[in-house]
Amino acid sequence: MTPDRLAVYFSNDVCPIEMKDKEQTEGITINPAIDGTWKWEGLDTLVFYPSKRWELNQKYKVVFNDKIFEKGTKLSGDLSFSTQGFSAGRSTSDFYINPLNSNEKKA
């Protein structure tokens, strides 16, 4: 199964034109660290393709170095997100047999 990617959409074109549709190999940090590849998709979208699944119930912080963006780009802050935890449940089910008529059964 392919791990879910992280796509960061910007409201303006922030990718330097020479990096359009190319891999971004430096200037981005994820904490806690997870291996993977960053790639520009167009001029306003940066996508992270993790090499393994994200940890469950984990808060991540992504820090961008201003040097990866088109000159003059200012970010309002770092990116933080959390993955969902794992939960399991059991539904209740009842099976009924009429004590007076064993052929009468209901689920």
Side-chain angles (χ1 to χ4, degrees):
M1 180 181 257
T2 305
D4 290 334
R5 68 188 192 137
L6 170 66
V8 182
Y9 302 98
F10 297 93
S11 59
N12 295 306
D13 293 346
V14 295
C15 172
I17 194 71
E18 66 273 7
M19 291 300 295
K20 181 182 176 193
D21 300 323
K22 294 185 180 173
E23 191 174 306
Q24 181 69 50
T25 58
E26 55 188 25
I28 306 170
T29 306
I30 298 181
N31 287 309
I34 181 170
D35 290 332
T37 304
W38 286 96
K39 183 181 178 193
W40 286 102
E41 293 187 359
L43 296 172
D44 64 352
T45 305
L46 190 56
V47 181
F48 180 68
Y49 296 92
S51 57
K52 64 177 187 171
R53 288 185 174 184
W54 299 93
E55 294 291 327
L56 296 176
N57 199 31
Q58 179 67 54
K59 183 172 183 177
Y60 289 92
K61 182 177 180 181
V62 181
V63 179
F64 300 103
N65 185 314
D66 289 342
K67 294 178 182 179
I68 70 167
F69 300 112
E70 187 68 32
K71 290 180 181 172
T73 300
K74 299 286 184 199
L75 296 181
S76 60
D78 297 326
L79 170 67
S80 295
F81 64 96
S82 296
T83 56
Q84 293 183 347
F86 177 79
S87 64
R90 182 178 72 84
S91 63
T92 59
S93 55
D94 296 322
F95 188 75
Y96 171 79
I97 300 175
N98 186 333
L100 301 176
N101 180 357
S102 62
N103 290 329
E104 183 182 337
K105 300 173 186 173
K106 296 179 184 177

